[in-house]
Amino acid sequence: MTAKSRCTSAAAIALLLTFVSAVSAQETHSHRPGQQLGEVSFANSGARAAQEPFQRGLALLHSFEYEEAGEAFRAAQKADPDFAMAYWAEAFTYTHPLWGQDDAEAARAVLQRLGTTRGARLQKAGTDRERAYGAAIESFYANADLPIRVQAFAAGMRTVLQQYPDDIDAIAFTSLASMLVDYLGGGPPAERRAARDQAITLAERVFQKNPQHPGGTHYLIHATDDPEFAARGLDAARTYARIASDAEHALHMPSHIFLQLGLWNDVVASNERAWAASRAEVIERKLSNADLSFHALQWLQYGYLQQGRYNAAAALIDTARTVLTGVNLDSLPYPDARHVIAQLEFMQWSHTGRWRLRTCAGEPSKARPATSDRERGQQTLEFQNRAIASAYCGNPDAPNLVALRQRLEGLAESDPMRRSLANTLVHVNAVLAQTAGDYARVIELLTPVITAPPRPPVGPPGLPRTFELFGEALLKSGRAGEAVTAYERALQLTPKRSEALLGLARARAAAGDAAGATATYRQLVVNWERADRGVAAVAEARKGSQE
């Protein structure tokens, strides 16, 4: 799996290093010739010849450019075989927690090259500070489940920060570790909220101390990837792509904040740049097209759809087919490339209502054995999407719906997948009721769902939005006032989303709120400034905005 097989929804890697050394003077490295990666500046005990690749690797690591970071750290090891920090840093490039990828065995193999035991490796640290960093990373690769390892790593980084409170990288990596506790630590909600708040506060400290630091900007974006906090990450989002313009992930990441704020032009611009950079990197490094950043391509499609540029969005399906023609996806772990076409299709037709998916009447897809949590997630999402698509086609006995029911019945109550698939079945039944015009049934099915505390989606929403389905059913049932409330709640979770704005404008008009409807249509016209001609809803919005 290369660094370009990006995550969808969720999460990170972890960390590391630095400190003062008597062996080499403190230096500032922003990039190797021709690369702009941001600025990292700290001293360590490595030989002078190891400094450039080590510092470059750290900058790449802060931007989750794992494969290139690993190459740089190995170059540092070659220059100084006794440089323990370079081994600990390389080990970290094999775990991508926010992406659902964790090759702990590969990481432990790197550690074995440094020393056969934890104690032996820590003895090789050049300074006390490097030893403290090393101890945190050693804890992360203990023989335990990932949530336990995440908690141990966070505890280790907090110790580093307590000992060296002014170390900017200690602040940055403790922010990252806190973020991992929120996402993956498995603790109670209050503990997760506290970890999220700490991640934001620490990342803000880094950004304030050095806006050129790639970790500060990157981690602040991740930590504030929620409508409630996104405004706190906006300055970092505006900065990150500029300071690390040669890291493809840095070109994409600002769109996490732009999406949560409904800044669709910025979402599109970010991912157009990221996709182009991904294409260029694949050519430059002679990689397979399966290594392309299909994550950025999917975000780009969603941005186009929010702009009403349905033709441009549909063209990306052809783009994916073209670049993957002749690529062998079966022999290598490329979950993003393997599932991207089906996901692009689903997103396109779910927004336009033109259901052309082969899943309308087709057999359920056959999943290959998953090699990572990421791949399992991709398989599950495609399975869910196929079931939803079959429901929109109006056939309650479609093979995909039968498969969903059978799979759900076969899961134990304690299985973590049960809740997700049960939620999908509720949506399937609601969509079937909607296509049959039974809006009372839609309201009945979704009422228990909307009372549960929702968590805003990270990235383009996968399944149909519950509050939008609920609002439409209420509106069709003559309950316009309640529909207004449902659509307003939808927009709290997905700000300025075009589908929710259109529903809200119609609901406000039906409820007799002419001024509110006009204001909402005007916001929609802003979204659809570059929309395709001939889209009926665009004409409706323009007319409504003038009333």
Side-chain angles (χ1 to χ4, degrees), residues 56 68 85 199:
R56 173 164 43 87
E68 287 186 82
M85 288 303 300

Side-chain angles (χ1 to χ4, degrees), residues 136-149:
I137 294 169
E138 292 284 345
S139 296
F140 190 69
Y141 288 111
N143 187 18
D145 292 336
L146 185 58
I148 296 174
R149 291 163 47 203

Side-chain angles (χ1 to χ4, degrees), residues 15-19 42-43 85 88 92 122 125 127-139 153 156-157 159-161 163-164 167-174:
L15 75 92
L16 166 263
L17 22 70
T18 143
F19 172 44
F42 55 87
M85 288 303 300
W88 283 316
F92 241 38
L122 290 175
T127 66
D128 289 342
R129 188 176 212 155
E130 291 173 5
R131 187 173 296 108
Y133 274 105
I137 294 169
E138 292 284 345
S139 296
F153 172 63
M157 283 311 308
T159 297
V160 177
L161 184 57
Q163 294 174 344
Y164 307 101
D167 178 10
I168 194 169
D169 287 280
I171 301 169
F173 282 125
T174 305

Side-chain angles (χ1 to χ4, degrees), residues 453-470:
R455 182 160 185 166
V458 175
L463 298 176
R465 304 306 300 150
T466 304
F467 281 97
E468 291 173 16
L469 284 172
F470 192 62

